[in-house]
Amino acid sequence: DIVVTQSPLSLTVTPGEPASISCRSSQSLLHKNGDNYLSWFLQKPGQSPQLLIYLGSTRLSVVPDRFSGSGSGTDFTLKISRVEAEDVGIYYCMQALQTPITFGQGTRLEIK
Amino acid sequence: EVQLVESGGVVVQPGGSLRLSCAASGFTFDDYAMHWVRQVPGKGLEWVSLINWDGDSTYYADSVRGRFTISRDNSKNSLYLQMNNLRPEDSALYYCAKDIDDYFGSGNYMDVWGKGTTVTVSS
């Protein structure tokens, strides 16, 4: 199974400051078609997860452009350029190169 | 509006069986693969199972393979999860989620999630 490891597991950020979350996989998530099969989700308190980023770096159209995804192979990063209060929650990365599909442990973002 | 509504979660004894349902609306159900994902309260997300658009291919987490069966009825826009030989560690909130594509292997991810249904396995 592909193991996906996130860091840090928790993050406290001042509004307006940047935030960065790392996601590392035990195997390369780069498909032969050139796409990285890595997604990012945010689960806000009391809500279901919502998709933010797919194929490593493609932002869903409704997601604010302060969110960006980068990386390839085994190392990926989710960046928030300027954190806002509504960004609190738990962020998960997920690999879908192979089954079983696996999620990272989650990174809890709190506002200072 | 695209919507997924799960149902069927109850309290069941260890060793018991249960069938979860997910009613889909607002999109062409048989164009997409579907997932079940579960979450123990206060814990992370665990992928459980995936079914291709036509039901011919199914995939499972090791923790449920041989005990759970995913299925779908495209005529009813519905997804199911038959859960047998339930264990206390199966207790969780079970989410139904829509995939972006119709089969596994194309860069899958879930773009729509339901609110979940709670399964509790306890004597």
Side-chain angles (χ1 to χ4, degrees):
Chain A
D1 297 2
I2 296 178
V3 177
V4 180
T5 304
Q6 291 181 229
S7 62
L9 297 184
S10 66
L11 203 49
T12 303
V13 183
T14 301
E17 294 297 304
S20 179
I21 300 170
S22 170
C23 179
R24 291 186 172 173
S25 61
S26 60
Q27 300 177 37
S28 175
L29 302 182
L30 181 62
H31 190 270
K32 57 186 178 182
N33 64 9
D35 290 327
N36 286 283
Y37 286 5
L38 188 284
S39 309
W40 290 96
F41 298 85
L42 166 60
Q43 187 172 30
K44 294 184 177 181
Q47 296 185 18
S48 303
Q50 58 187 79
L51 178 68
L52 298 175
I53 303 282
Y54 58 95
L55 299 179
S57 60
T58 303
R59 188 177 58 250
L60 202 63
S61 59
V62 296
V63 172
D65 62 6
R66 62 179 182 276
F67 290 91
S68 64
S70 63
S72 183
T74 61
D75 290 331
F76 299 87
T77 302
L78 176 70
K79 292 182 179 178
I80 310 173
S81 58
R82 295 173 305 280
V83 170
E84 297 187 4
E86 66 181 22
D87 300 336
V88 297
I90 303 176
Y91 291 80
Y92 296 94
C93 57
M94 181 199 83
Q95 71 78 22
L97 183 69
Q98 298 176 5
T99 60
I101 291 171
T102 47
F103 289 90
Q105 317 96 299
T107 296
R108 182 181 299 275
L109 175 66
E110 297 178 333
I111 299 297
K112 194 176 294 184
Chain B
E1 178 191 6
V2 177
Q3 195 171 13
L4 298 170
V5 179
E6 302 92 337
S7 62
V10 291
V11 178
V12 61
Q13 291 190 340
S17 297
L18 197 57
R19 189 176 87 152
L20 305 183
S21 299
C22 172
S25 59
F27 64 99
T28 305
F29 183 68
D30 57 8
D31 276 353
Y32 299 98
M34 296 293 295
H35 302 258
W36 287 101
V37 176
R38 67 185 182 184
Q39 184 173 36
V40 174
K43 302 297 184 182
L45 300 170
E46 180 187 14
W47 175 80
V48 172
S49 184
L50 162 69
I51 186 168
N52 283 5
W53 70 276
D54 59 2
D56 279 357
S57 294
T58 57
Y59 307 84
Y60 297 94
D62 292 344
S63 58
V64 306
R65 186 176 293 111
R67 300 186 299 121
F68 289 10
T69 302
I70 191 172
S71 63
R72 62 192 297 161
D73 185 337
N74 288 342
S75 69
K76 295 182 178 180
N77 290 343
S78 292
L79 175 72
Y80 306 102
L81 186 68
Q82 178 66 41
M83 310 165 69
N84 296 332
N85 191 19
L86 282 160
R87 305 167 179 169
E89 55 264 35
D90 295 318
S91 297
L93 180 65
Y94 283 75
Y95 293 106
C96 162
K98 170 188 166 292
D99 198 276
I100 191 65
D101 216 323
D102 57 355
Y103 68 97
F104 178 76
S106 59
N108 302 80
Y109 48 91
M110 305 85 166
D111 64 343
V112 180
W113 296 64
K115 295 187 185 305
T117 187
T118 299
V119 173
T120 303
V121 184
S122 174
S123 54

